């Protein structure tokens, strides 16, 4: 992939974040998602690449744009796979709470997992704990492994878990070890990424969430030197058939980093929509707006935090070609 593509993709997540942030706290998650999707699509049309969506808003008959299989870019440049979540945390924006992001990942053609839209059991850690955790091991064993890897007592470890009834067993076991828990309502892409940054205070992610979000998290963690493992959780024969259709023959096997995001390169970008531990959300003042974005590339290991100041008067539709 071209090095210049990294900065071009920042414009994509910035536009999606700026558009969806207008809906913060208004209780209208669909409108927020539609705004993000439309803005992201418009800017993608200006990017020099030959992209194909492998993680998107759904199938062609479910989504008017950014659907799986859709082509993106201006038709010039590298041939790449694209994973997008224009608004990761639609409920978060609707309620005006923390850690909503606009996110995307790009990798060389055929290197991103075509993950079906279903639940996936996941475990994610930052660089210090790579190779130390096992999704098939107990919660207790994994907490002890992370504590040892990070030179902490188990009581100092913080696990992040989606606050769902299905996770009560995980929550109970974490508490029995004496470790601490950060329960979140939504947004497990941000949660997985946070395990790779010490200042977020998060050490490990446990629990099940969307499989497509697992691919986005994997791309980010590949850039950051972290790790993720996953196991698909199909609920019925229809979902199993969908896995097979997407080329996943052994549905019960553990998926590792190279399964999620193969090759030696990937680019990940995320712009904060609402405030979070890692990124500030969009702020508006008259015809000005500010954004904060993290963009990273696996091949170089470079991680950039970019503060954007936007003139909404000069760029009212967020696109200048």
């Amino acid at each position: 992939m071209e090095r210049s593509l990294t900065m071009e993709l920042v414009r994509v997540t910035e536009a999606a974040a700026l558009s969806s942030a207008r809906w913060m706290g208004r209780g209208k998650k669909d409108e927020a998602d539609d705004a993000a999707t439309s803005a992201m699509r418009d800017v993608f049309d200006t990017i020099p690449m030959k992209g194909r969506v492998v993680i998107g808003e759904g199938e062609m008959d479910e989504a008017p744009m950014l659907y799986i299989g859709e082509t993106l870019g201006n038709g010039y440049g590298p041939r790449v796979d694209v994973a997008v979540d224009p608004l990761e945390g639609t409920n978060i924006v609707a309620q005006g709470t923390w850690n909503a992001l606009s996110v995307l990942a790009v990798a060389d053609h055929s290197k991103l997992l075509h993950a079906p839209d279903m639940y996936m059991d996941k475990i994610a850690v930052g660089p210090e704990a790579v190779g130390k955790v096992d999704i098939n091991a107990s919660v207790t064993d994994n907490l002890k492994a992370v504590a040892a890897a990070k030179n902490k007592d188990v009581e100092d470890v913080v696990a992040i878990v989606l606050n769902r009834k299905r996770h009560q067993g995980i929550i109970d076991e974490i508490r029995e070890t004496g470790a601490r828990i950060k329960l979140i309502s939504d947004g497990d892409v941000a949660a997985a990424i946070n395990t790779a940054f010490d200042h977020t205070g998060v050490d490990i992610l446990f629990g099940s969430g969307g499989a497509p979000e697992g691919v986005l998290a994997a791309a980010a963690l590949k850039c950051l030197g972290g790790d993720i493992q996953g196991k698909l959780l199909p609920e019925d024969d229809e979902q199993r058939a969908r896995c097979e259709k997407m080329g996943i023959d052994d549905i019960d096997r553990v998926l590792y980093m190279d399964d999620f995001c193969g090759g030696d390169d990937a680019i990940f970008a995320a712009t904060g929509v609402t405030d979070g531990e890692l990124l500030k959300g969009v702020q508006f003042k008259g015809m000005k707006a500010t954004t904060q974005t993290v963009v990273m590339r696996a091949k170089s290991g470079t991680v950039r935090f970019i503060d954007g100041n936007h003139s909404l008067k000069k760029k009212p539709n967020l696109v200048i070609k």
Side-chain angles (χ1 to χ4, degrees):
M1 291 187 290
E2 298 292 335
R3 181 175 59 185
S4 59
L5 187 59
T6 304
M7 299 306 294
E8 290 280 358
L9 294 172
V10 170
R11 298 193 296 113
V12 179
T13 56
E14 285 178 340
L18 286 163
S19 295
S20 58
R22 288 291 192 188
W23 295 95
M24 188 186 79
R26 296 183 178 182
K28 298 183 177 182
K29 66 176 186 177
D30 291 338
E31 287 83 349
D33 191 44
D34 287 346
T37 303
S38 179
M40 184 172 272
R41 184 65 175 84
D42 286 346
V43 181
F44 259 130
D45 280 343
T46 71
I47 304 300
M49 67 179 193
K50 301 172 184 175
R52 181 172 65 97
V53 178
V54 298
I55 300 290
E57 293 290 276
E59 302 290 347
M60 186 185 301
D61 56 354
E62 298 171 354
M65 62 182 73
L66 296 178
Y67 56 83
I68 296 170
E70 184 175 359
T71 58
L72 297 175
N74 64 9
Y76 300 94
R79 189 181 180 196
V80 295
D81 283 357
V82 182
V84 299
D85 196 341
L87 182 55
E88 211 270 316
T90 55
N91 287 322
I92 294 172
V93 172
Q95 297 165 13
T97 55
W98 278 55
N99 278 319
L101 301 173
S102 171
V103 299
L104 64 82
V106 172
D108 290 323
H109 175 64
S110 77
K111 296 302 183 181
L112 288 181
L113 177 69
H114 297 198
D117 189 5
M118 64 179 64
Y119 283 126
M120 169 186 282
D121 193 20
K122 308 172 196 174
I123 187 170
V125 292
E128 291 172 286
V130 171
K132 306 298 184 181
V133 298
D134 183 350
I135 198 170
N136 288 323
S138 69
V139 169
T140 300
D141 286 345
N142 281 313
L143 287 169
K144 290 179 178 178
V146 170
K150 302 190 78 169
N151 196 27
K152 292 184 174 186
D153 294 329
V154 171
E155 291 79 6
D156 296 330
V157 172
V158 175
I160 194 163
V161 183
L162 280 169
N163 192 7
R164 301 287 189 270
K165 288 183 178 180
R166 65 180 183 269
H167 292 152
Q168 192 58 52
I170 294 173
I171 293 167
D172 291 343
E173 188 171 350
I174 294 170
R175 287 174 174 162
E176 286 171 6
T177 69
R180 296 177 294 158
I181 307 175
K182 179 172 284 190
L183 293 174
I184 56 173
S185 61
D186 293 282
D188 67 345
V189 173
I193 297 169
N194 284 348
T195 65
F197 290 94
D198 284 342
H199 72 269
T200 66
V202 175
D203 298 298
I204 185 169
L205 169 113
F206 288 110
S208 60
E213 287 81 1
V215 177
L216 284 158
L221 289 168
K222 188 182 188 79
C223 296
L224 293 165
D227 197 16
I228 187 170
Q229 298 171 22
K231 294 175 72 174
L232 289 167
L233 300 171
E235 297 178 351
D236 50 38
D237 290 341
E238 182 179 346
Q239 289 193 352
R240 285 184 170 273
R242 180 168 172 76
C243 291
E244 293 171 0
K245 181 181 178 182
M246 299 182 81
I248 303 171
D249 297 325
D250 186 358
I251 298 169
D252 300 318
R253 73 183 178 92
V254 175
L255 298 168
Y256 295 99
M257 178 61 79
D258 283 346
D259 298 306
F260 284 105
C261 185
D264 64 354
D265 205 4
I267 298 169
F268 177 89
T271 300
V273 181
T274 62
D275 288 342
E277 294 91 347
L278 187 63
L279 295 170
K280 295 177 182 178
V282 177
Q283 299 292 324
F284 294 103
K285 186 176 181 180
M287 295 305 293
K288 300 284 188 179
T290 60
T291 57
Q292 189 171 58
T293 300
V294 60
V295 60
M296 44 189 123
R297 187 181 182 194
K299 193 170 186 177
S300 64
T302 302
V303 179
R304 291 184 173 93
F305 286 86
I306 299 172
D307 291 324
N309 292 283
H310 307 270
S311 170
L312 304 179
K313 182 178 181 180
K314 293 183 177 180
K315 195 168 60 172
N317 63 354
L318 308 177
V319 180
I320 292 181
K321 298 183 179 181

